[in-house]
């Protein structure tokens, strides 16, 4: 009954507001401030129902603002977005991946220090009168972001001393595993390090072959480039854990050590060797090859024991295969004393061409309030980017392993075309796996170094 009465009052409120009744005495500025505004919000992997829920709450606060949420596929977003901007029918707010921020930089509006919007209330029981108050709301400052968000955020959202959005979640890589298959393999404890007595030993136990040596159960989906989801992130993780600096400022740098240290112990060669050994039939840890389909799909079919993936992938597996007994653990570390992880996340940003900059940024600010972020994070099953939520989320059984890693997660790629850069890393893996020809066999390190340098050149071209 209370809800129905409130709904009737709110409906009357909106009717009075937009019919002009009860608005007498408002200044021209106040009347202008409450003209109907429609914000078009385009997202890719955002939780549409939660965003719509927040839009409804925002309308309670500012009844003159309607937020329409639209979800687009990643593959189609760029074309539709660019065409819409050219026709002046583009969105006001978009979700943009941090690694695409520089690609869209010229199409986005820098975040202002504050926004000016109208607060609307109705006073008077028998003769309702609309009361409009113009208020200035501060947007988060850079210092407050450094203080309240995990470190990756302040590093990623700034271009040329301007900030271009705020995240609602932040994701990290973890070890997703099939509990039943792991138990059947006789592995009692989930690996916490990559070394031979831990992760590698578990993979060897968990991988099953038929009489002809073909893999019938993969211990882990790792080793190739084209059929591994998140290959770019996984290889980045292994390189970072092995001490490789992937980029310096606006320059890719992961191949730099090859110029002064070309030997078997070079850290990038060690990391690539470790990764690709899982796809080499001659190795004891052989568990994967190009004949498998997509890694996440194979795991969902119950054909893979370990899958390196994000919280997003974990949730996708659970939705697609609720019958599987799956769990998650923190990603293994090369040096547990100095843990490293990869940050993967999206920002909510305002489009430069939006005619409603104040309302658009105010809605982003509204979405980013701590209680609303917490609710959105736990609804999506992806960790909150706010420090205040970390300890509580670490205690949650499914979210905890991902949340426990976000303080040490970072993003290295800050170029303008992550799709090209990601393809360069996948191609590097494929070429590195290829057998040496007669000429290369005499100088294998030179061939491998050439493959890595070529990948760095392609990545650098995207900066």
């Amino acid at each position: 009954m209370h809800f129905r009465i409130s709904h009737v009052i709110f409906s009357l409120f909106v009717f009075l507001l937009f019919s002009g009744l009860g608005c007498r005495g408002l200044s021209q500025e106040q009347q202008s401030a409450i003209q109907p505004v429609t914000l078009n919000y385009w997202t890719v992997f955002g939780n549409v129902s939660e965003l719509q829920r927040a839009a409804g709450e925002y309308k309670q606060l500012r009844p003159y603002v309607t937020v329409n949420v639209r979800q687009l596929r990643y593959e189609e977003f760029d074309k539709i977005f660019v065409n819409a901007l050219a026709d002046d029918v583009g969105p006001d707010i978009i979700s943009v991946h941090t690694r695409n921020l520089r690609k869209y930089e010229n199409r986005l509006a820098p975040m202002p220090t504050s926004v000016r919007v109208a607060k609307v209330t109705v006073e008077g029981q028998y003769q309702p009168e609309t009361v409009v108050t113009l208020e200035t709301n501060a947007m988060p400052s850079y210092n407050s972001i450094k203080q309240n968000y995990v470190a990756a955020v302040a590093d990623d959202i700034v271009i040329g001393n301007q900030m271009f959005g705020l995240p609602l979640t932040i994701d990290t890589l973890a070890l997703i595993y099939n509990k039943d298959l792991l138990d059947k393999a006789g592995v009692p404890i989930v690996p916490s390090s990559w070394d031979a007595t831990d992760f590698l030993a578990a993979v060897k136990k968990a991988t099953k072959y038929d009489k002809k040596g073909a893999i019938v159960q993969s211990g882990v989906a790792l080793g190739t480039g084209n059929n591994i989801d998140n290959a770019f992130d996984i290889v980045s993780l292994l390189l970072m854990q092995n001490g490789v600096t992937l980029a310096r400022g606006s320059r890719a740098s992961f191949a730099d050590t090859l110029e002064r240290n070309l030997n078997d112990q070079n850290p990038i060669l060690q990391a690539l060797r470790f990764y690709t050994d899982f796809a080499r039939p001659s190795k004891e840890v052989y568990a994967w090859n190009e004949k498998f389909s997509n890694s996440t799909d194979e795991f969902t079919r119950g054909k893979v024991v370990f899958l390196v993936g994000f919280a997003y992938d974990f949730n996708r597996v659970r939705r697609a295969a609720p019958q599987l007994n799956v769990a998650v653990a923190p990603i293994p570390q090369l040096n547990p004393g100095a843990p490293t992880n990869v940050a993967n996340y999206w920002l909510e940003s305002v489009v430069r061409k939006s005619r409603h900059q104040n309302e658009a940024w105010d809605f982003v600010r509204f979405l980013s309030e701590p209680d609303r972020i917490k609710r959105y994070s736990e609804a999506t099953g992806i960790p909150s980017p706010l420090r205040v939520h970390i300890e509580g989320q670490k205690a949650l059984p499914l979210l905890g392993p991902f949340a426990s890693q976000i303080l040490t997660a970072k993003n290295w790629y800050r170029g303008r075309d992550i799709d090209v850069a990601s393809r360069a890393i996948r191609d590097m893996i494929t070429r590195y796996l290829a057998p040496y020809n007669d000429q290369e066999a005499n100088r294998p390190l030179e061939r491998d170094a050439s493959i890595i340098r070529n990948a760095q050149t392609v990545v650098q071209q995207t900066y």
Side-chain angles (χ1 to χ4, degrees):
M1 179 64 72
H2 173 73
F3 171 79
R4 294 187 66 182
I5 292 173
S6 298
H7 181 72
V8 170
I9 292 173
F10 179 72
S11 298
L12 175 63
F13 176 20
V14 174
F15 170 76
L16 290 170
L17 178 63
F18 295 119
S19 66
L21 299 175
C23 294
R24 292 182 297 274
L26 295 183
S27 69
Q28 185 174 357
E29 183 183 16
Q30 288 172 320
Q31 291 186 39
S32 176
I34 60 171
Q35 290 302 303
V37 168
T38 297
L39 298 178
N40 291 307
Y41 185 172
W42 291 4
T43 188
V44 178
F45 295 114
N47 186 310
V48 172
S49 62
E50 281 297 317
L51 294 175
Q52 289 173 334
R53 178 182 178 183
E57 293 170 343
Y58 190 72
K59 193 168 185 66
Q60 295 279 339
L61 180 67
R62 310 201 195 286
Y64 59 95
V65 179
T66 299
V67 181
N68 294 326
V69 182
R70 178 184 179 187
Q71 190 163 41
L72 284 77
R73 291 187 300 112
Y74 181 83
E75 297 79 11
E76 68 183 6
F77 181 89
D78 188 65
K79 181 179 180 180
I80 294 176
F81 180 48
V82 171
N83 289 342
L85 290 181
D87 294 337
D88 286 325
V89 291
D92 301 277
I93 304 168
I94 63 169
S95 298
V96 55
H97 199 283
T98 51
R99 297 171 193 165
N100 272 328
L101 191 57
R102 283 157 181 79
K103 177 179 182 178
Y104 294 123
E105 174 188 355
N106 294 332
R107 301 184 178 113
L108 300 176
M111 188 163 66
T113 57
S114 63
V115 291
R116 190 162 173 79
V117 287
K119 179 180 179 181
V120 186
T121 56
V122 172
E123 297 181 0
Q125 184 175 0
Y126 300 108
Q127 290 183 318
E129 183 177 1
T130 304
V131 177
V132 177
T133 305
L134 297 177
E135 59 183 17
T136 300
N137 292 328
M139 297 297 295
S141 66
Y142 179 69
N143 286 337
S144 71
I145 288 172
K146 286 186 69 175
Q147 179 179 352
N148 297 319
Y149 287 77
V150 297
V153 176
D155 291 339
D156 289 338
I157 68 173
V158 176
I159 303 175
N161 297 320
Q162 294 180 311
M163 298 183 291
F164 284 87
L166 294 170
L168 301 179
T169 58
I170 185 167
D171 214 343
T172 61
L173 284 172
L175 195 60
I176 303 165
Y177 60 98
N178 186 313
K179 294 174 69 175
D180 292 339
L181 295 183
L182 198 62
D183 285 346
K184 289 178 181 177
V187 180
I189 299 175
V190 181
S192 60
S193 71
W194 297 114
D195 66 38
T197 60
D198 201 5
F199 184 76
L200 298 184
V203 169
K204 285 190 281 186
K205 286 185 177 180
T207 304
K208 307 298 181 185
Y209 312 91
D210 64 17
K211 293 180 179 179
K212 296 182 178 180
I215 300 168
V216 294
Q217 176 178 293
S218 169
V220 66
L222 286 178
T224 57
N226 295 322
N227 58 352
I228 298 288
D229 280 339
N230 310 311
F232 175 89
D233 291 289
I234 297 168
V235 171
S236 296
L237 171 75
L238 294 173
L239 292 175
M240 289 192 295
Q241 287 192 1
N242 211 34
V244 176
T245 301
L246 282 85
R248 290 183 171 87
S250 61
R251 188 179 68 82
S253 61
F254 54 85
D256 288 4
T257 61
L258 296 171
E259 305 306 321
R260 58 182 180 274
N261 182 27
L262 185 54
N263 57 58
D264 281 334
Q265 302 308 307
N266 183 280
I268 188 170
L269 291 174
Q270 286 181 323
L272 271 181
R273 191 179 308 122
F274 176 87
Y275 178 82
T276 54
D277 275 356
F278 296 105
R280 296 186 187 276
S282 61
K283 300 296 181 178
E284 290 185 346
V285 293
Y286 174 55
W288 188 258
N289 56 50
E290 293 279 7
K291 295 179 181 179
F292 284 99
S293 63
N294 172 273
S295 57
T296 307
D297 291 343
E298 293 285 12
F299 183 88
T300 302
R301 295 186 188 107
K303 300 294 185 180
V304 178
V305 180
F306 289 117
L307 177 73
V308 178
F310 292 99
Y312 174 82
D313 302 308
F314 181 52
N315 297 328
R316 188 156 58 104
V317 167
R318 292 175 65 224
R319 288 193 299 269
Q323 77 283 358
L324 287 184
N325 187 11
V326 297
V328 61
I331 199 71
Q333 295 289 330
L334 191 62
N335 180 6
T340 301
N341 211 307
V342 172
N344 190 327
Y345 61 106
W346 296 71
L347 302 174
E348 311 314 309
S349 302
V350 173
V351 177
R352 189 182 293 270
K353 276 193 168 186
S354 170
R355 298 179 180 89
H356 308 293
Q357 297 280 323
N358 278 288
E359 290 82 6
W361 276 118
D362 190 61
F363 184 64
V364 171
R365 178 199 61 79
F366 179 81
L367 281 176
S368 303
E369 291 175 348
D371 288 348
R372 204 158 278 106
I373 278 187
K374 184 174 185 291
R375 186 181 73 192
Y376 184 86
S377 163
E378 293 178 5
T380 58
I382 302 174
S384 162
L386 293 174
R387 292 174 179 268
V388 70
H389 298 147
I390 294 175
E391 285 304 314
Q393 291 193 338
K394 282 166 64 175
L396 300 176
L398 301 182
L399 195 54
F402 300 99
S404 68
Q405 305 174 132
I406 64 173
L407 288 175
T408 56
K410 54 188 175 182
N411 169 48
W412 69 271
Y413 180 78
R414 295 187 176 90
R416 295 181 180 274
D417 198 329
I418 183 57
D419 295 328
V420 170
S422 180
R423 188 161 56 248
I425 297 301
R426 295 197 305 271
D427 290 346
M428 177 182 73
I429 295 166
T430 301
R431 293 181 61 197
Y432 186 79
L433 276 168
Y436 300 106
N437 61 34
D438 291 342
Q439 185 177 358
E440 293 169 342
N442 295 323
R443 306 183 69 182
L445 291 179
E446 281 77 1
R447 187 209 74 160
D448 295 344
S450 175
I451 290 170
I452 296 166
R453 291 190 192 103
N454 182 71
Q456 177 168 300
T457 298
V458 175
V459 171
Q460 184 59 45
Q461 289 169 354
T462 69
Y463 271 73

